[in-house]
Amino acid sequence: GESVGLHLPTLSVQEGDNSIINCAYSNSASDYFIWYKQESGKGPQFIIDIRSNMDKRQGQRVTVLLNKTVKHLSLQIAATQPGDSAVYFCAEGGYNAGNMLTFGGGTRLMVKP
Amino acid sequence: SQTIHQWPATLVQPVGSPLSLECTVEGTSNPNLYWYRQAAGRGLQLLFYSVGIGQISSEVPQNLSASRPQDRQFILSSKKLLLSDSGFYLCAWNLAENQPQHFGDGTRLSIL
């Protein structure tokens, strides 16, 4: 069936470096994508979203890139800080899916001081 | 601003006992409400969602059930828990499709 997945289960970066977390999706009908951050023992926290009519969206220290041609989504975190250490999930949705989001398996980001 | 509350934060229950987890949303009206389960180190599995009072859709057949007795209250229940029901249960809300879902801090359920 359709699925959302992540290339790297664990990503380790040095404090101050940029981080890139990747996500592949297989449902070409998806037109809405979200990135979440989940810290240990807490619920996922919304970071940024992007709709399929855009290929890039920027927030505070974060950028989401969408490549519809290869069905790829990435989250870039600039100047990674220890507080960025968490598990990051991508999720996809679409008009065909109604209110439903399909979540990927997650990537753990570890920031080394 | 809108807030979402889940309780209890942690729960330890024996096999075969009943379950009731509660979720409430404040600061908004007529939200869409969702129950997810997250196994350790895994992604989120949608269990139930509701677009209005008394309206429940189930995504996964199981021994759990959900109810929405009030606009901003969503309850997850079971008559008889199984060992496989252990996990981290998350409630979420949004106002429309293709808008971010906002999550509570979850209930960690351990079945002994």
Side-chain angles (χ1 to χ4, degrees):
Chain A
E2 303 288 4
S3 64
V4 174
L6 292 171
H7 296 305
L8 300 173
T10 303
L11 177 65
S12 184
V13 300
Q14 202 70 39
E15 181 179 357
D17 287 351
N18 297 333
S19 303
I20 300 176
I21 301 171
N22 296 302
C23 179
Y25 65 95
S26 56
N27 187 351
S28 56
S30 293
D31 56 14
Y32 179 58
F33 305 88
I34 308 177
W35 281 101
Y36 286 93
K37 172 187 179 182
Q38 187 176 25
E39 297 176 277
S40 181
K42 295 188 176 181
Q45 178 185 9
F46 168 75
I47 301 173
I48 192 168
D49 59 359
I50 189 169
R51 302 187 190 276
S52 60
N53 60 350
M54 302 173 69
D55 53 21
K56 180 180 180 179
R57 192 171 186 211
Q58 289 184 289
Q60 187 177 13
R61 278 201 310 119
V62 296
T63 301
V64 56
L65 298 177
L66 175 63
N67 185 330
K68 295 180 287 293
T69 303
V70 295
K71 301 193 193 76
H72 186 266
L73 188 70
S74 68
L75 177 70
Q76 300 178 2
I77 304 174
T80 313
Q81 302 169 1
D84 295 326
S85 294
V87 176
Y88 289 81
F89 292 95
C90 64
E92 63 171 332
Y95 288 110
N96 290 339
N99 288 305
M100 300 306 102
L101 292 177
T102 301
F103 285 82
T107 292
R108 181 173 300 280
L109 176 65
M110 300 176 64
V111 182
K112 297 178 287 186
Chain B
S1 63
Q2 301 91 349
T3 56
I4 180 169
H5 302 281
Q6 285 188 248
W7 66 92
T10 60
L11 188 61
V12 180
Q13 291 283 99
V15 170
S17 63
L19 173 74
S20 180
L21 301 181
E22 191 160 344
C23 171
T24 59
V25 179
E26 296 177 357
T28 189
S29 296
N30 198 31
N32 300 315
L33 296 171
Y34 307 83
W35 277 113
Y36 289 87
R37 177 168 56 205
Q38 185 176 32
R42 303 290 294 274
L44 281 69
Q45 178 188 34
L46 179 64
L47 302 175
F48 300 95
Y49 71 94
S50 171
V51 298
I53 295 175
Q55 300 178 62
I56 309 294
S57 296
S58 174
E59 291 296 302
V60 183
Q62 59 212 322
N63 69 321
L64 299 171
S65 62
S67 61
R68 185 169 178 175
Q70 300 180 46
D71 180 45
R72 291 169 289 176
Q73 184 185 30
F74 206 22
I75 298 172
L76 183 69
S77 304
S78 174
K79 292 181 180 177
K80 213 170 185 181
L81 286 167
L82 306 173
L83 280 173
S84 58
D85 291 324
S86 292
F88 192 42
Y89 288 83
L90 290 156
C91 182
W93 71 272
N94 67 359
L95 289 178
E97 63 184 49
N98 284 4
Q99 287 193 6
Q101 292 178 18
H102 301 280
F103 289 82
D105 276 338
T107 294
R108 186 160 304 282
L109 176 64
S110 299
I111 310 299
L112 304 178

PDB file of all heavy atoms in Angstrom, chain B residues 30-64:
ATOM      1  N   ASN B  30     -15.837  22.543  17.865  1.00  0.00           N
ATOM      2  CA  ASN B  30     -16.014  21.579  16.785  1.00  0.00           C
ATOM      3  C   ASN B  30     -14.699  21.106  16.162  1.00  0.00           C
ATOM      4  O   ASN B  30     -14.547  21.106  14.936  1.00  0.00           O
ATOM      5  CB  ASN B  30     -16.921  22.148  15.692  1.00  0.00           C
ATOM      6  CG  ASN B  30     -17.469  21.059  14.794  1.00  0.00           C
ATOM      7  OD1 ASN B  30     -17.671  19.929  15.230  1.00  0.00           O
ATOM      8  ND2 ASN B  30     -17.691  21.383  13.543  1.00  0.00           N
ATOM      9  N   PRO B  31     -13.751  20.723  16.998  1.00  0.00           N
ATOM     10  CA  PRO B  31     -12.497  20.214  16.428  1.00  0.00           C
ATOM     11  C   PRO B  31     -12.682  18.799  15.890  1.00  0.00           C
ATOM     12  O   PRO B  31     -13.573  18.070  16.320  1.00  0.00           O
ATOM     13  CB  PRO B  31     -11.549  20.210  17.627  1.00  0.00           C
ATOM     14  CG  PRO B  31     -12.454  19.946  18.789  1.00  0.00           C
ATOM     15  CD  PRO B  31     -13.740  20.655  18.469  1.00  0.00           C
ATOM     16  N   ASN B  32     -11.815  18.412  14.957  1.00  0.00           N
ATOM     17  CA  ASN B  32     -11.644  17.004  14.630  1.00  0.00           C
ATOM     18  C   ASN B  32     -10.735  16.428  15.722  1.00  0.00           C
ATOM     19  O   ASN B  32      -9.764  17.056  16.120  1.00  0.00           O
ATOM     20  CB  ASN B  32     -10.974  16.828  13.271  1.00  0.00           C
ATOM     21  CG  ASN B  32     -11.778  17.457  12.161  1.00  0.00           C
ATOM     22  OD1 ASN B  32     -12.990  17.304  12.101  1.00  0.00           O
ATOM     23  ND2 ASN B  32     -11.111  18.197  11.300  1.00  0.00           N
ATOM     24  N   LEU B  33     -11.057  15.233  16.183  1.00  0.00           N
ATOM     25  CA  LEU B  33     -10.278  14.619  17.271  1.00  0.00           C
ATOM     26  C   LEU B  33      -9.779  13.248  16.833  1.00  0.00           C
ATOM     27  O   LEU B  33     -10.469  12.542  16.083  1.00  0.00           O
ATOM     28  CB  LEU B  33     -11.144  14.501  18.533  1.00  0.00           C
ATOM     29  CG  LEU B  33     -11.595  15.824  19.140  1.00  0.00           C
ATOM     30  CD1 LEU B  33     -12.619  15.592  20.255  1.00  0.00           C
ATOM     31  CD2 LEU B  33     -10.411  16.606  19.670  1.00  0.00           C
ATOM     32  N   TYR B  34      -8.609  12.897  17.322  1.00  0.00           N
ATOM     33  CA  TYR B  34      -7.935  11.674  16.877  1.00  0.00           C
ATOM     34  C   TYR B  34      -7.331  10.952  18.077  1.00  0.00           C
ATOM     35  O   TYR B  34      -6.823  11.584  19.004  1.00  0.00           O
ATOM     36  CB  TYR B  34      -6.788  12.004  15.907  1.00  0.00           C
ATOM     37  CG  TYR B  34      -7.183  12.879  14.737  1.00  0.00           C
ATOM     38  CD1 TYR B  34      -7.234  14.262  14.879  1.00  0.00           C
ATOM     39  CD2 TYR B  34      -7.502  12.329  13.496  1.00  0.00           C
ATOM     40  CE1 TYR B  34      -7.594  15.075  13.819  1.00  0.00           C
ATOM     41  CE2 TYR B  34      -7.863  13.137  12.436  1.00  0.00           C
ATOM     42  CZ  TYR B  34      -7.902  14.503  12.602  1.00  0.00           C
ATOM     43  OH  TYR B  34      -8.269  15.311  11.548  1.00  0.00           O
ATOM     44  N   TRP B  35      -7.348   9.623  18.017  1.00  0.00           N
ATOM     45  CA  TRP B  35      -6.576   8.778  18.937  1.00  0.00           C
ATOM     46  C   TRP B  35      -5.556   7.997  18.119  1.00  0.00           C
ATOM     47  O   TRP B  35      -5.908   7.350  17.125  1.00  0.00           O
ATOM     48  CB  TRP B  35      -7.460   7.781  19.689  1.00  0.00           C
ATOM     49  CG  TRP B  35      -8.144   8.325  20.899  1.00  0.00           C
ATOM     50  CD1 TRP B  35      -9.476   8.527  21.082  1.00  0.00           C
ATOM     51  CD2 TRP B  35      -7.533   8.718  22.135  1.00  0.00           C
ATOM     52  NE1 TRP B  35      -9.730   9.031  22.334  1.00  0.00           N
ATOM     53  CE2 TRP B  35      -8.556   9.156  23.003  1.00  0.00           C
ATOM     54  CE3 TRP B  35      -6.214   8.737  22.604  1.00  0.00           C
ATOM     55  CZ2 TRP B  35      -8.314   9.608  24.295  1.00  0.00           C
ATOM     56  CZ3 TRP B  35      -5.973   9.202  23.890  1.00  0.00           C
ATOM     57  CH2 TRP B  35      -7.023   9.626  24.720  1.00  0.00           C
ATOM     58  N   TYR B  36      -4.295   8.068  18.564  1.00  0.00           N
ATOM     59  CA  TYR B  36      -3.207   7.305  17.957  1.00  0.00           C
ATOM     60  C   TYR B  36      -2.568   6.415  19.029  1.00  0.00           C
ATOM     61  O   TYR B  36      -2.602   6.720  20.212  1.00  0.00           O
ATOM     62  CB  TYR B  36      -2.107   8.232  17.437  1.00  0.00           C
ATOM     63  CG  TYR B  36      -2.452   9.043  16.218  1.00  0.00           C
ATOM     64  CD1 TYR B  36      -3.074  10.282  16.336  1.00  0.00           C
ATOM     65  CD2 TYR B  36      -2.117   8.588  14.940  1.00  0.00           C
ATOM     66  CE1 TYR B  36      -3.362  11.042  15.217  1.00  0.00           C
ATOM     67  CE2 TYR B  36      -2.400   9.345  13.811  1.00  0.00           C
ATOM     68  CZ  TYR B  36      -3.018  10.564  13.959  1.00  0.00           C
ATOM     69  OH  TYR B  36      -3.300  11.319  12.845  1.00  0.00           O
ATOM     70  N   ARG B  37      -1.925   5.360  18.567  1.00  0.00           N
ATOM     71  CA  ARG B  37      -1.067   4.552  19.431  1.00  0.00           C
ATOM     72  C   ARG B  37       0.335   4.541  18.825  1.00  0.00           C
ATOM     73  O   ARG B  37       0.482   4.417  17.602  1.00  0.00           O
ATOM     74  CB  ARG B  37      -1.572   3.119  19.585  1.00  0.00           C
ATOM     75  CG  ARG B  37      -0.653   2.220  20.431  1.00  0.00           C
ATOM     76  CD  ARG B  37      -1.309   0.902  20.801  1.00  0.00           C
ATOM     77  NE  ARG B  37      -1.755   0.175  19.636  1.00  0.00           N
ATOM     78  CZ  ARG B  37      -2.735  -0.704  19.651  1.00  0.00           C
ATOM     79  NH1 ARG B  37      -3.401  -0.958  20.766  1.00  0.00           N
ATOM     80  NH2 ARG B  37      -3.080  -1.335  18.551  1.00  0.00           N
ATOM     81  N   GLN B  38       1.314   4.636  19.699  1.00  0.00           N
ATOM     82  CA  GLN B  38       2.710   4.621  19.268  1.00  0.00           C
ATOM     83  C   GLN B  38       3.435   3.534  20.052  1.00  0.00           C
ATOM     84  O   GLN B  38       3.579   3.621  21.268  1.00  0.00           O
ATOM     85  CB  GLN B  38       3.362   5.981  19.507  1.00  0.00           C
ATOM     86  CG  GLN B  38       4.778   6.089  18.983  1.00  0.00           C
ATOM     87  CD  GLN B  38       5.339   7.488  19.163  1.00  0.00           C
ATOM     88  OE1 GLN B  38       5.016   8.190  20.112  1.00  0.00           O
ATOM     89  NE2 GLN B  38       6.196   7.904  18.242  1.00  0.00           N
ATOM     90  N   ALA B  39       3.904   2.513  19.335  1.00  0.00           N
ATOM     91  CA  ALA B  39       4.730   1.490  19.977  1.00  0.00           C
ATOM     92  C   ALA B  39       6.131   2.059  20.172  1.00  0.00           C
ATOM     93  O   ALA B  39       6.529   3.001  19.488  1.00  0.00           O
ATOM     94  CB  ALA B  39       4.758   0.229  19.129  1.00  0.00           C
ATOM     95  N   ALA B  40       6.882   1.486  21.087  1.00  0.00           N
ATOM     96  CA  ALA B  40       8.215   1.996  21.428  1.00  0.00           C
ATOM     97  C   ALA B  40       9.090   2.076  20.181  1.00  0.00           C
ATOM     98  O   ALA B  40       9.234   1.089  19.445  1.00  0.00           O
ATOM     99  CB  ALA B  40       8.865   1.096  22.473  1.00  0.00           C
ATOM    100  N   GLY B  41       9.660   3.270  19.937  1.00  0.00           N
ATOM    101  CA  GLY B  41      10.569   3.446  18.815  1.00  0.00           C
ATOM    102  C   GLY B  41       9.916   3.363  17.449  1.00  0.00           C
ATOM    103  O   GLY B  41      10.602   3.148  16.447  1.00  0.00           O
ATOM    104  N   ARG B  42       8.612   3.550  17.405  1.00  0.00           N
ATOM    105  CA  ARG B  42       7.899   3.409  16.127  1.00  0.00           C
ATOM    106  C   ARG B  42       7.101   4.660  15.811  1.00  0.00           C
ATOM    107  O   ARG B  42       7.021   5.597  16.604  1.00  0.00           O
ATOM    108  CB  ARG B  42       6.954   2.201  16.207  1.00  0.00           C
ATOM    109  CG  ARG B  42       7.617   0.892  16.554  1.00  0.00           C
ATOM    110  CD  ARG B  42       8.493   0.380  15.435  1.00  0.00           C
ATOM    111  NE  ARG B  42       7.720   0.039  14.267  1.00  0.00           N
ATOM    112  CZ  ARG B  42       7.140  -1.143  14.084  1.00  0.00           C
ATOM    113  NH1 ARG B  42       7.209  -2.075  15.012  1.00  0.00           N
ATOM    114  NH2 ARG B  42       6.472  -1.385  12.974  1.00  0.00           N
ATOM    115  N   GLY B  43       6.471   4.643  14.642  1.00  0.00           N
ATOM    116  CA  GLY B  43       5.621   5.756  14.231  1.00  0.00           C
ATOM    117  C   GLY B  43       4.245   5.678  14.856  1.00  0.00           C
ATOM    118  O   GLY B  43       3.983   4.874  15.745  1.00  0.00           O
ATOM    119  N   LEU B  44       3.358   6.534  14.388  1.00  0.00           N
ATOM    120  CA  LEU B  44       2.026   6.654  14.954  1.00  0.00           C
ATOM    121  C   LEU B  44       1.003   5.876  14.135  1.00  0.00           C
ATOM    122  O   LEU B  44       0.967   5.983  12.914  1.00  0.00           O
ATOM    123  CB  LEU B  44       1.602   8.116  15.000  1.00  0.00           C
ATOM    124  CG  LEU B  44       2.161   8.960  16.140  1.00  0.00           C
ATOM    125  CD1 LEU B  44       3.643   9.202  15.984  1.00  0.00           C
ATOM    126  CD2 LEU B  44       1.409  10.268  16.232  1.00  0.00           C
ATOM    127  N   GLN B  45       0.176   5.120  14.828  1.00  0.00           N
ATOM    128  CA  GLN B  45      -0.895   4.367  14.191  1.00  0.00           C
ATOM    129  C   GLN B  45      -2.230   4.996  14.581  1.00  0.00           C
ATOM    130  O   GLN B  45      -2.556   5.081  15.769  1.00  0.00           O
ATOM    131  CB  GLN B  45      -0.849   2.906  14.652  1.00  0.00           C
ATOM    132  CG  GLN B  45      -1.961   2.046  14.080  1.00  0.00           C
ATOM    133  CD  GLN B  45      -1.998   0.657  14.710  1.00  0.00           C
ATOM    134  OE1 GLN B  45      -1.709   0.481  15.887  1.00  0.00           O
ATOM    135  NE2 GLN B  45      -2.362  -0.331  13.915  1.00  0.00           N
ATOM    136  N   LEU B  46      -2.995   5.424  13.579  1.00  0.00           N
ATOM    137  CA  LEU B  46      -4.299   6.019  13.859  1.00  0.00           C
ATOM    138  C   LEU B  46      -5.278   4.940  14.291  1.00  0.00           C
ATOM    139  O   LEU B  46      -5.436   3.917  13.620  1.00  0.00           O
ATOM    140  CB  LEU B  46      -4.825   6.736  12.618  1.00  0.00           C
ATOM    141  CG  LEU B  46      -6.200   7.392  12.749  1.00  0.00           C
ATOM    142  CD1 LEU B  46      -6.161   8.519  13.783  1.00  0.00           C
ATOM    143  CD2 LEU B  46      -6.673   7.910  11.403  1.00  0.00           C
ATOM    144  N   LEU B  47      -5.940   5.168  15.419  1.00  0.00           N
ATOM    145  CA  LEU B  47      -6.927   4.222  15.942  1.00  0.00           C
ATOM    146  C   LEU B  47      -8.351   4.681  15.625  1.00  0.00           C
ATOM    147  O   LEU B  47      -9.154   3.915  15.095  1.00  0.00           O
ATOM    148  CB  LEU B  47      -6.765   4.071  17.446  1.00  0.00           C
ATOM    149  CG  LEU B  47      -5.411   3.611  17.963  1.00  0.00           C
ATOM    150  CD1 LEU B  47      -5.393   3.625  19.482  1.00  0.00           C
ATOM    151  CD2 LEU B  47      -5.069   2.234  17.421  1.00  0.00           C
ATOM    152  N   PHE B  48      -8.661   5.909  15.999  1.00  0.00           N
ATOM    153  CA  PHE B  48     -10.013   6.444  15.826  1.00  0.00           C
ATOM    154  C   PHE B  48      -9.925   7.922  15.477  1.00  0.00           C
ATOM    155  O   PHE B  48      -8.975   8.605  15.863  1.00  0.00           O
ATOM    156  CB  PHE B  48     -10.841   6.318  17.125  1.00  0.00           C
ATOM    157  CG  PHE B  48     -11.018   4.921  17.618  1.00  0.00           C
ATOM    158  CD1 PHE B  48     -10.158   4.409  18.579  1.00  0.00           C
ATOM    159  CD2 PHE B  48     -12.040   4.124  17.145  1.00  0.00           C
ATOM    160  CE1 PHE B  48     -10.308   3.121  19.049  1.00  0.00           C
ATOM    161  CE2 PHE B  48     -12.207   2.828  17.610  1.00  0.00           C
ATOM    162  CZ  PHE B  48     -11.326   2.316  18.555  1.00  0.00           C
ATOM    163  N   TYR B  49     -10.945   8.412  14.787  1.00  0.00           N
ATOM    164  CA  TYR B  49     -11.081   9.851  14.626  1.00  0.00           C
ATOM    165  C   TYR B  49     -12.551  10.222  14.664  1.00  0.00           C
ATOM    166  O   TYR B  49     -13.434   9.388  14.440  1.00  0.00           O
ATOM    167  CB  TYR B  49     -10.398  10.369  13.353  1.00  0.00           C
ATOM    168  CG  TYR B  49     -11.067   9.989  12.058  1.00  0.00           C
ATOM    169  CD1 TYR B  49     -11.980  10.830  11.437  1.00  0.00           C
ATOM    170  CD2 TYR B  49     -10.746   8.792  11.434  1.00  0.00           C
ATOM    171  CE1 TYR B  49     -12.567  10.494  10.241  1.00  0.00           C
ATOM    172  CE2 TYR B  49     -11.329   8.440  10.235  1.00  0.00           C
ATOM    173  CZ  TYR B  49     -12.240   9.296   9.634  1.00  0.00           C
ATOM    174  OH  TYR B  49     -12.828   8.944   8.451  1.00  0.00           O
ATOM    175  N   SER B  50     -12.797  11.488  14.967  1.00  0.00           N
ATOM    176  CA  SER B  50     -14.160  11.975  15.132  1.00  0.00           C
ATOM    177  C   SER B  50     -14.267  13.390  14.572  1.00  0.00           C
ATOM    178  O   SER B  50     -13.454  14.251  14.878  1.00  0.00           O
ATOM    179  CB  SER B  50     -14.547  11.980  16.617  1.00  0.00           C
ATOM    180  OG  SER B  50     -15.790  12.631  16.807  1.00  0.00           O
ATOM    181  N   VAL B  51     -15.293  13.615  13.762  1.00  0.00           N
ATOM    182  CA  VAL B  51     -15.520  14.945  13.199  1.00  0.00           C
ATOM    183  C   VAL B  51     -16.634  15.680  13.931  1.00  0.00           C
ATOM    184  O   VAL B  51     -16.915  16.842  13.608  1.00  0.00           O
ATOM    185  CB  VAL B  51     -15.817  14.882  11.690  1.00  0.00           C
ATOM    186  CG1 VAL B  51     -14.623  14.284  10.944  1.00  0.00           C
ATOM    187  CG2 VAL B  51     -17.073  14.069  11.430  1.00  0.00           C
ATOM    188  N   GLY B  52     -17.268  15.022  14.902  1.00  0.00           N
ATOM    189  CA  GLY B  52     -18.325  15.678  15.652  1.00  0.00           C
ATOM    190  C   GLY B  52     -18.834  14.789  16.772  1.00  0.00           C
ATOM    191  O   GLY B  52     -18.483  13.602  16.854  1.00  0.00           O
ATOM    192  N   ILE B  53     -19.678  15.344  17.622  1.00  0.00           N
ATOM    193  CA  ILE B  53     -20.230  14.604  18.762  1.00  0.00           C
ATOM    194  C   ILE B  53     -20.909  13.337  18.269  1.00  0.00           C
ATOM    195  O   ILE B  53     -21.727  13.372  17.336  1.00  0.00           O
ATOM    196  CB  ILE B  53     -21.239  15.469  19.540  1.00  0.00           C
ATOM    197  CG1 ILE B  53     -20.544  16.666  20.170  1.00  0.00           C
ATOM    198  CG2 ILE B  53     -21.933  14.639  20.631  1.00  0.00           C
ATOM    199  CD1 ILE B  53     -21.500  17.639  20.847  1.00  0.00           C
ATOM    200  N   GLY B  54     -20.544  12.230  18.898  1.00  0.00           N
ATOM    201  CA  GLY B  54     -21.174  10.948  18.571  1.00  0.00           C
ATOM    202  C   GLY B  54     -20.727  10.328  17.271  1.00  0.00           C
ATOM    203  O   GLY B  54     -21.180   9.242  16.911  1.00  0.00           O
ATOM    204  N   GLN B  55     -19.828  10.983  16.538  1.00  0.00           N
ATOM    205  CA  GLN B  55     -19.365  10.470  15.251  1.00  0.00           C
ATOM    206  C   GLN B  55     -17.959   9.904  15.417  1.00  0.00           C
ATOM    207  O   GLN B  55     -17.021  10.660  15.657  1.00  0.00           O
ATOM    208  CB  GLN B  55     -19.357  11.576  14.191  1.00  0.00           C
ATOM    209  CG  GLN B  55     -20.719  12.198  13.944  1.00  0.00           C
ATOM    210  CD  GLN B  55     -20.641  13.308  12.915  1.00  0.00           C
ATOM    211  OE1 GLN B  55     -20.281  13.084  11.772  1.00  0.00           O
ATOM    212  NE2 GLN B  55     -20.982  14.519  13.330  1.00  0.00           N
ATOM    213  N   ILE B  56     -17.833   8.590  15.294  1.00  0.00           N
ATOM    214  CA  ILE B  56     -16.559   7.919  15.494  1.00  0.00           C
ATOM    215  C   ILE B  56     -16.267   7.046  14.293  1.00  0.00           C
ATOM    216  O   ILE B  56     -17.130   6.281  13.853  1.00  0.00           O
ATOM    217  CB  ILE B  56     -16.586   7.014  16.746  1.00  0.00           C
ATOM    218  CG1 ILE B  56     -17.087   7.783  17.966  1.00  0.00           C
ATOM    219  CG2 ILE B  56     -15.205   6.412  16.987  1.00  0.00           C
ATOM    220  CD1 ILE B  56     -16.193   8.900  18.423  1.00  0.00           C
ATOM    221  N   SER B  57     -15.044   7.159  13.779  1.00  0.00           N
ATOM    222  CA  SER B  57     -14.586   6.272  12.715  1.00  0.00           C
ATOM    223  C   SER B  57     -13.403   5.476  13.237  1.00  0.00           C
ATOM    224  O   SER B  57     -12.513   6.034  13.873  1.00  0.00           O
ATOM    225  CB  SER B  57     -14.172   7.061  11.479  1.00  0.00           C
ATOM    226  OG  SER B  57     -15.270   7.740  10.931  1.00  0.00           O
ATOM    227  N   SER B  58     -13.433   4.179  12.979  1.00  0.00           N
ATOM    228  CA  SER B  58     -12.370   3.298  13.446  1.00  0.00           C
ATOM    229  C   SER B  58     -11.475   2.921  12.285  1.00  0.00           C
ATOM    230  O   SER B  58     -11.966   2.555  11.213  1.00  0.00           O
ATOM    231  CB  SER B  58     -12.983   2.034  14.060  1.00  0.00           C
ATOM    232  OG  SER B  58     -11.972   1.106  14.386  1.00  0.00           O
ATOM    233  N   GLU B  59     -10.185   3.018  12.515  1.00  0.00           N
ATOM    234  CA  GLU B  59      -9.232   2.705  11.464  1.00  0.00           C
ATOM    235  C   GLU B  59      -8.659   1.301  11.589  1.00  0.00           C
ATOM    236  O   GLU B  59      -8.196   0.718  10.620  1.00  0.00           O
ATOM    237  CB  GLU B  59      -8.073   3.709  11.478  1.00  0.00           C
ATOM    238  CG  GLU B  59      -8.490   5.101  11.037  1.00  0.00           C
ATOM    239  CD  GLU B  59      -8.948   5.128   9.595  1.00  0.00           C
ATOM    240  OE1 GLU B  59      -8.165   4.753   8.703  1.00  0.00           O
ATOM    241  OE2 GLU B  59     -10.113   5.503   9.341  1.00  0.00           O
ATOM    242  N   VAL B  60      -8.674   0.766  12.809  1.00  0.00           N
ATOM    243  CA  VAL B  60      -8.030  -0.522  13.042  1.00  0.00           C
ATOM    244  C   VAL B  60      -8.960  -1.388  13.900  1.00  0.00           C
ATOM    245  O   VAL B  60      -9.349  -0.969  14.971  1.00  0.00           O
ATOM    246  CB  VAL B  60      -6.681  -0.359  13.777  1.00  0.00           C
ATOM    247  CG1 VAL B  60      -6.006  -1.696  13.947  1.00  0.00           C
ATOM    248  CG2 VAL B  60      -5.776   0.608  13.033  1.00  0.00           C
ATOM    249  N   PRO B  61      -9.305  -2.589  13.437  1.00  0.00           N
ATOM    250  CA  PRO B  61     -10.148  -3.466  14.273  1.00  0.00           C
ATOM    251  C   PRO B  61      -9.383  -3.932  15.506  1.00  0.00           C
ATOM    252  O   PRO B  61      -8.243  -4.329  15.414  1.00  0.00           O
ATOM    253  CB  PRO B  61     -10.469  -4.639  13.340  1.00  0.00           C
ATOM    254  CG  PRO B  61      -9.386  -4.632  12.320  1.00  0.00           C
ATOM    255  CD  PRO B  61      -8.963  -3.206  12.148  1.00  0.00           C
ATOM    256  N   GLN B  62      -9.992  -3.858  16.662  1.00  0.00           N
ATOM    257  CA  GLN B  62      -9.285  -4.180  17.901  1.00  0.00           C
ATOM    258  C   GLN B  62     -10.291  -4.208  19.044  1.00  0.00           C
ATOM    259  O   GLN B  62     -11.473  -3.981  18.825  1.00  0.00           O
ATOM    260  CB  GLN B  62      -8.238  -3.115  18.171  1.00  0.00           C
ATOM    261  CG  GLN B  62      -8.847  -1.726  18.290  1.00  0.00           C
ATOM    262  CD  GLN B  62      -7.878  -0.675  17.793  1.00  0.00           C
ATOM    263  OE1 GLN B  62      -6.682  -0.771  18.012  1.00  0.00           O
ATOM    264  NE2 GLN B  62      -8.389   0.320  17.111  1.00  0.00           N
ATOM    265  N   ASN B  63      -9.783  -4.421  20.237  1.00  0.00           N
ATOM    266  CA  ASN B  63     -10.687  -4.464  21.385  1.00  0.00           C
ATOM    267  C   ASN B  63     -10.800  -3.099  22.060  1.00  0.00           C
ATOM    268  O   ASN B  63     -11.207  -3.009  23.208  1.00  0.00           O
ATOM    269  CB  ASN B  63     -10.204  -5.512  22.390  1.00  0.00           C
ATOM    270  CG  ASN B  63      -8.915  -5.080  23.058  1.00  0.00           C
ATOM    271  OD1 ASN B  63      -8.052  -4.506  22.415  1.00  0.00           O
ATOM    272  ND2 ASN B  63      -8.790  -5.347  24.335  1.00  0.00           N
ATOM    273  N   LEU B  64     -10.432  -2.027  21.363  1.00  0.00           N
ATOM    274  CA  LEU B  64     -10.587  -0.687  21.887  1.00  0.00           C
ATOM    275  C   LEU B  64     -11.799  -0.032  21.250  1.00  0.00           C
ATOM    276  O   LEU B  64     -12.205  -0.402  20.137  1.00  0.00           O
ATOM    277  CB  LEU B  64      -9.342   0.149  21.576  1.00  0.00           C
ATOM    278  CG  LEU B  64      -8.019  -0.339  22.173  1.00  0.00           C
ATOM    279  CD1 LEU B  64      -6.862   0.458  21.603  1.00  0.00           C
ATOM    280  CD2 LEU B  64      -8.046  -0.251  23.684  1.00  0.00           C
TER     281      LEU B  64
END
